Amino acid sequence: FQSCDEAVLMPEIAAPEYRDAVRELVARREIHAILSLSDPDVAALASLREELSARGVSCFFPPPAIARIGFD
């Protein structure tokens, strides 16, 4: 985490408010990139990939179809 500016406590990945929390955090903190290595997190973030990319966020996780294949 040496390259991170700060750590943020987020709702659990399975929580209904997780995706909205990601959207809000990206907007509020002007986040430029998201990287996750956790399968459940990647699966949740994949559904936001197109939207986040449109906001200029570099998404270091696969699109939904690929995430579903890798989520085992």
Side-chain angles (χ1 to χ4, degrees), residues 6-62:
E6 68 180 285
V8 178
L9 185 60
M10 297 290 286
E12 289 187 30
I13 296 165
E17 63 272 13
Y18 178 77
R19 288 176 181 85
D20 286 337
V22 171
R23 288 181 184 104
E24 192 274 329
L25 187 65
V26 165
R28 183 170 40 103
R29 301 287 185 176
E30 298 180 15
I31 292 175
H32 301 284
I34 298 177
L35 167 68
S36 180
L37 303 175
S38 160
D39 283 350
D41 197 32
V42 167
L45 289 171
S47 67
L48 296 173
R49 183 174 168 54
E50 192 172 310
E51 177 184 339
L52 294 172
S53 292
R55 289 183 169 193
V57 177
S58 296
C59 298
F60 296 99
F61 48 86

